[in-house]
Amino acid sequence: MDGFLPAEHGRRKTLKAPIGCVGDGLHSGRRISLTMHPAAAGAGIQFRRIDLGVDIPARFDFVTDTRLCTTIAAPTAPAARIGTIEHIMAALAGSGIDDAIIEVDGPEIPILDGSAAPFLFLIDCAGIATSAAPRQMIEVLRPVRVEDAQGAFAELHPNAEPAFDATVEIDYPNTAIGHQALSFRLTPEAFRANVADSRTFGLAEDVARLHEAGLALGGSLDNAVVVDGMTILNPGGLRHVDEFIRHKVLDLVGDLALAGAPLRARFIGSRSGHALNNQLLRALFADASAWRWVGGAATPAKQKAPAFA
């Protein structure tokens, strides 16, 4: 295996053709048009605000907000922001896409049905093209841990297998969510079958507070699972009995894709979310002894964080 993908996927990939959609932003409530384009090998994932004429690389060090979603912004133009990027980033990473340009005409990625499945559908329709360029990956060499004041934590560990493995748990006592845990190895097949269609979720008691903060203005039962105590408010119920933890894994895949390359690592997290996921990448790349480039043409002498590679 190469990174967290099988050996036959060891070359960089992009889309075969452009493809787009239109949908509402979960937090802004705005109607937004999105188009995914192929990109040259080595370009990475780039977001483009076509209404502002600003490009924003999909990088952990460009993350400016992690309240309920992951938002990136251009350092030279802080007002050029794009929020809720985690689901499309998860779909790209789960499909093995290394290089693409994502154009939007507003401040957020459309939420669509609240999962990564619609983005997988778009990728399937566009097709995937494999280049001759080898894919590099990032190998974690020693444990890295971050923790918040409530005891939630996220860790990366070396992995004896050339893969990305994750063990994640959440705990929402006195709700229909309760305690859930999942162990998962990321491959395109496993992502598609087990994670991609799991939707974002929230508690009914938080809706008014979020609206007062200018968040979740586009949220509805069509794009989120809403929990009121022990009751699921969505008429169709859940897609999986453990859909909540599956969505947390989906978010994790999208957030860690901002490393800029596949990770060879084991992730362990308890009640982690967007903030801790981003802090974990910042902690990893702040310590040059904790990681290294492998594959492709990378050499230890040229090692530097993906943000500046």
Side-chain angles (χ1 to χ4, degrees):
M1 296 174 67
D2 181 9
F4 45 57
L5 297 172
E8 63 270 20
H9 295 276
R11 302 288 176 176
R12 296 186 71 90
K13 291 179 171 58
T14 189
L15 300 169
K16 284 185 177 179
I19 193 163
C21 67
V22 177
D24 296 330
L26 175 62
H27 295 298
S28 67
R30 286 181 51 175
R31 195 71 170 167
I32 296 169
S33 176
L34 174 148
T35 304
M36 294 190 284
H37 294 270
I45 307 299
Q46 301 275 337
F47 286 88
R48 177 172 294 161
R49 282 286 300 268
I50 58 175
D51 55 326
L52 301 177
V54 176
D55 287 359
I56 313 170
R59 297 189 340 203
F60 68 92
D61 56 329
F62 283 3
V63 171
T64 57
D65 196 346
T66 53
R67 293 176 303 163
L68 301 178
C69 70
T70 296
T71 299
I72 56 175
T76 56
R81 297 159 51 93
I82 301 178
T84 322
I85 67 169
E86 59 272 14
H87 300 168
I88 193 169
M89 286 299 300
L92 291 165
S95 300
I97 300 292
D98 304 284
D99 305 299
I101 298 170
I102 314 301
E103 292 184 346
V104 290
D105 63 356
E108 195 172 6
I109 300 298
I111 189 62
L112 303 180
D113 78 343
S115 77
F119 297 114
L120 275 187
F121 174 76
L122 292 175
I123 292 169
D124 289 344
C125 291
I128 297 176
T130 302
S131 77
R135 161 183 273 185
Q136 293 178 278
M137 59 181 290
I138 296 160
E139 181 180 8
V140 172
L141 301 176
R142 67 175 188 80
V144 178
R145 176 185 171 101
V146 293
E147 184 174 347
D148 69 14
Q150 288 72 47
F153 69 87
E155 300 174 344
L156 284 173
H157 295 263
N159 196 339
E161 299 288 333
F164 179 80
D165 295 310
T167 299
V168 185
E169 67 169 7
I170 56 175
D171 192 14
Y172 290 76
N174 304 314
T175 73
I177 304 170
H179 178 270
Q180 296 186 359
L182 183 67
S183 292
F184 178 78
R185 170 163 290 186
L186 182 57
T187 68
E189 296 77 17
F191 181 81
R192 182 182 297 271
N194 301 316
V195 173
D197 68 342
S198 295
R199 297 161 293 175
T200 192
F201 62 91
L203 302 180
E205 63 197 62
D206 293 333
V207 171
R209 175 180 58 82
L210 292 174
H211 287 172
E212 290 174 3
L215 298 170
L217 300 180
S220 73
L221 296 180
D222 293 327
N223 55 39
V225 178
V226 180
V227 178
D228 186 3
M230 300 304 294
T231 302
I232 305 295
L233 297 185
N234 302 66
L238 298 175
R239 294 176 175 174
H240 308 275
V241 293
D242 58 349
E243 185 170 358
F244 306 104
I245 189 64
R246 292 180 190 227
H247 185 80
K248 282 292 187 178
V249 172
L250 186 160
D251 280 346
L252 173 70
V253 171
D255 286 341
L256 295 192
L258 296 176
L263 294 171
R264 173 176 175 165
R266 288 190 302 111
F267 174 92
I268 301 173
S270 176
R271 294 172 291 129
S272 61
H274 301 303
L276 282 178
N277 294 341
N278 184 252
Q279 291 170 29
L280 185 62
L281 287 181
R282 291 177 183 268
L284 174 69
F285 292 119
D287 183 354
S289 70
W291 65 279
R292 66 177 178 180
W293 285 108
V294 293
T299 64
K302 296 172 65 177
Q303 177 166 310
K304 45 189 175 179
F308 309 105

